[in-house]
Amino acid sequence: MPVLSLPPLSHLSSIHNVVALSVVIRVVLIIYSEWHDARSVVKYTDIDYRVFSDASNFLLHPTDTNIAQGPLKWNIGKSVMLQSQSASVITFISVFYSPYTRETYRYTPLLALLLVPNALLPSFGKFLFAACDIANGLLIYNLLETEILPWTKKYSSGSSKSPSASSNLKKWATIFSAIHLLNPMVFSISTRGSSESVLSLFVLLTLYASLKGHWDASAVLLGVSTHWKIYPLVYGVSCLGVIGNQVARSTSRWSSLWSSVVNKKTIRFFLISAGTFSSLGLICYAIWGYPFVYESYLYHVHRIDHRHNFSPYFYPSYLNYPSLTPSTSQESVSLWTRLLRSSLTSFVPQMGLSLGLGLLFGRHKRDIVFAWFTQTVVFVVFNKVCTSQYFLWYLLLLPLLLPQLSMTRWQAASYLIIWIATQALWLAEAYQLEFLGKNVFVGLWIRGLVYVIGNCWVLAGIMRGYDSGPAN
């Protein structure tokens, strides 16, 4: 029996009803967040939203210490600064001030520019992120109706042009897209002020262009996504595999392997994507200089986070975290300790698995969703820092993958139970450490390893249940 074969609920019969309900939920939560934050010590709004807002304010309130550091920085005089003192006046010269004056702002400066209207409407960013949530749901619905479901026989009975078949596709597209639009984790994170939905929009647009065969647009959007946050870089491997395989099938048997790796189309995709990423980076560097390069990219490369999180690297990092007091010389530290302290160590299994899965599964256009999903799961699970917010990276793709899975209800339920149970097991121990101050570091780390094993087991089950169908 295929997964999710339950009859649709009446209130999910129309995508319009789902979208309307989604909008109401998000608006209510945003309004509630302002009311709650004004009356409670424990805030509903995520601390990252405060960081975004502060960074945007630095673009509007110039001082002698927050001038942009790029080669194009201007020697802005006091008179210009005085003209920009009012937060209600947004001028083009705001880009020549630095959002990185705000400590812990470690994102692209384009995000700070995007949230400049927060100076007039403090909740603007939350509404923007919620709107991106809705846009993501609509993109998922469109891809399901036009691409994913027509590939799957169990959802596209009869001619796709017949009224009954079209109605069936719309029904199932609504149900699967509701998994995103009505997901509490999704709407709670965006209404708390996390910017993940913006990146999710870029990723889905990249996927949309790829599935439609618009590879130039896909390359540009992949470059934009990677500029925003570096992890979508791994999706490029899958795209190159699909493009190369399309070319290889039209060439001779002896040259197919080579032509699937290097050909005009793969080179074109690579150059456009890399060119987009580089162009955005050069523009940002020209204005904001080294702080942009360090905070947006280099910091995340060498970052060592010893605070508790789901990552299997948490406890070794905690034990080997550099002391704040003067320590022994580097020569006296063992090679093993230096390897544990190195932030690059975790990239070996993470990138090896993520890129390898992209090469393995990125062969046909209809397999892109499956390839991206598996790549994202291993990227998150084996990341040196792993928090619940990162789960959204692969949950975004789940509604698009579910129609292509064949498994029993018991299998689906067991995977869901294990995924939730491993998190609950970890969170119960994390509560002991964070709120009760108990020394449970070893127990927490062991539970983190259980989380990794459980997630890998779930991923293996999903891989077994994937029905690739005929190549296209």
Side-chain angles (χ1 to χ4, degrees):
M1 183 178 295
V3 67
L4 293 176
S5 58
L6 296 174
L9 300 176
S10 59
H11 63 277
L12 296 182
S13 60
S14 169
I15 186 61
H16 301 290
N17 296 337
V18 175
V19 170
L21 178 59
S22 303
V23 170
V24 170
I25 290 174
R26 286 162 173 80
V27 170
V28 169
L29 285 176
I30 292 172
I31 295 174
Y32 167 77
S33 71
E34 297 301 319
W35 179 89
H36 177 93
D37 290 352
R39 292 165 174 80
S40 176
V41 176
V42 180
K43 306 300 182 184
Y44 178 88
T45 301
D46 194 292
I47 185 62
D48 284 346
Y49 190 70
R50 308 296 182 188
V51 175
F52 303 154
S53 301
D54 291 346
S56 297
N57 284 333
F58 275 114
L59 294 177
L60 292 173
H61 297 84
T63 67
D64 293 327
T65 59
N66 76 327
I67 301 299
Q69 299 301 309
L72 294 183
K73 65 180 179 181
W74 289 359
N75 185 17
I76 304 175
K78 295 292 185 180
S79 60
V80 176
M81 290 185 181
L82 290 174
Q83 292 175 15
S84 303
Q85 288 300 311
S86 174
S88 62
V89 179
I90 303 176
T91 65
F92 76 96
I93 61 172
S94 64
V95 298
F96 292 99
Y97 307 125
S98 177
Y100 299 107
T101 304
R102 180 25 163 120
E103 293 183 3
T104 73
Y105 181 77
R106 299 188 173 102
Y107 310 88
T108 170
L110 302 184
L111 176 58
L113 283 175
L114 193 64
L115 296 184
V116 161
N118 264 5
L120 299 176
L121 179 64
S123 294
F124 170 81
K126 294 179 184 178
F127 282 108
L128 175 64
F129 301 153
C132 288
D133 262 352
I134 302 300
N136 293 335
L138 292 174
L139 272 173
I140 290 172
Y141 175 85
N142 182 274
L143 285 174
L144 285 165
E145 183 185 12
T146 62
E147 300 291 337
I148 307 296
L149 294 177
W151 292 340
T152 313
K153 290 184 178 180
K154 61 185 176 183
Y155 297 109
S156 58
S157 57
S159 172
S160 60
K161 295 182 180 180
S162 66
S164 60
S166 177
S167 176
N168 190 56
L169 289 179
K170 292 179 183 296
K171 175 190 70 176
W172 283 107
T174 300
I175 293 173
F176 286 120
S177 58
I179 295 175
H180 171 83
L181 288 168
L182 301 180
N183 187 334
M185 181 177 287
V186 172
F187 61 66
S188 63
I189 286 180
S190 63
T191 56
R192 292 184 65 219
S194 171
S195 64
E196 291 298 333
S197 61
V198 179
L199 174 63
S200 297
L201 180 59
F202 291 141
V203 169
L204 280 178
L205 287 172
T206 307
L207 180 62
Y208 181 90
S210 300
L211 292 178
K212 297 294 185 180
H214 305 314
W215 292 112
D216 287 352
S218 174
V220 171
L221 289 164
L222 181 62
V224 174
S225 302
T226 307
H227 168 83
W228 205 265
K229 191 165 286 187
I230 202 68
Y231 88 86
L233 170 71
V234 300
Y235 300 150
V237 175
S238 305
C239 293
L240 290 173
V242 174
I243 297 171
N245 189 56
Q246 290 175 345
V247 174
R249 284 185 293 174
S250 63
T251 61
S252 67
R253 176 182 179 184
W254 298 105
S255 62
S256 61
L257 178 61
W258 172 252
S259 62
S260 67
V261 177
V262 180
N263 56 70
K264 290 182 180 179
K265 291 187 176 181
T266 56
I267 294 174
R268 179 185 178 90
F269 183 91
F270 173 80
L271 291 178
I272 293 176
S273 182
T276 302
F277 173 79
S278 300
S279 298
L280 288 172
L282 287 173
I283 292 172
C284 290
Y285 175 79
I287 298 174
W288 291 284
Y290 181 75
F292 153 70
V293 177
Y294 177 80
E295 300 292 355
S296 297
Y297 303 115
L298 297 182
Y299 169 82
H300 300 282
V301 172
H302 69 72
R303 172 187 181 186
I304 299 178
D305 196 333
H306 65 288
R307 294 169 295 181
H308 59 283
N309 60 84
F310 289 96
S311 172
Y313 303 102
F314 135 69
Y315 191 54
S317 297
Y318 171 78
L319 291 178
N320 293 278
Y321 194 72
S323 174
L324 297 177
T325 60
S327 58
T328 57
S329 63
Q330 184 71 11
E331 290 76 11
S332 64
V333 180
S334 67
L335 176 61
W336 175 248
T337 300
R338 291 201 298 270
L339 285 174
L340 287 176
R341 288 184 177 182
S342 174
S343 58
L344 300 178
T345 302
S346 63
F347 284 111
V348 176
Q350 180 191 34
M351 297 305 293
L353 287 170
S354 190
L355 295 177
L357 289 173
L359 291 172
L360 179 63
F361 298 126
R363 306 303 298 163
H364 305 287
K365 190 171 67 173
R366 65 175 297 149
D367 297 325
I368 290 180
V369 173
F370 175 65
W372 285 22
F373 180 84
T374 57
Q375 287 182 280
T376 310
V377 171
V378 298
F379 189 96
V380 171
V381 171
F382 291 97
N383 197 27
K384 59 185 175 181
V385 179
C386 180
T387 65
S388 299
Q389 188 168 301
Y390 297 170
F391 300 164
L392 292 181
W393 296 355
Y394 58 79
L395 290 178
L396 175 73
L397 302 170
L398 187 60
L400 297 169
L401 179 63
L402 286 175
Q404 302 180 76
L405 299 181
S406 295
M407 58 183 68
T408 65
R409 293 182 184 178
W410 166 247
Q411 288 175 322
S414 64
Y415 298 148
L416 180 61
I417 290 171
I418 292 297
W419 185 76
I420 294 175
T422 53
Q423 294 178 53
L425 183 70
W426 184 92
L427 289 170
E429 195 77 347
Y431 175 83
Q432 301 285 325
L433 172 62
E434 185 168 352
F435 292 97
L436 303 182
K438 295 185 178 180
N439 185 359
V440 292
F441 284 96
V442 175
L444 186 61
W445 178 57
I446 293 175
R447 294 185 185 211
L449 297 179
V450 172
Y451 157 81
V452 172
I453 295 171
N455 275 256
C456 289
W457 180 79
V458 171
L459 179 61
I462 291 175
M463 293 168 68
R464 287 193 299 269
Y466 176 65
D467 181 14
S468 60
N472 59 334

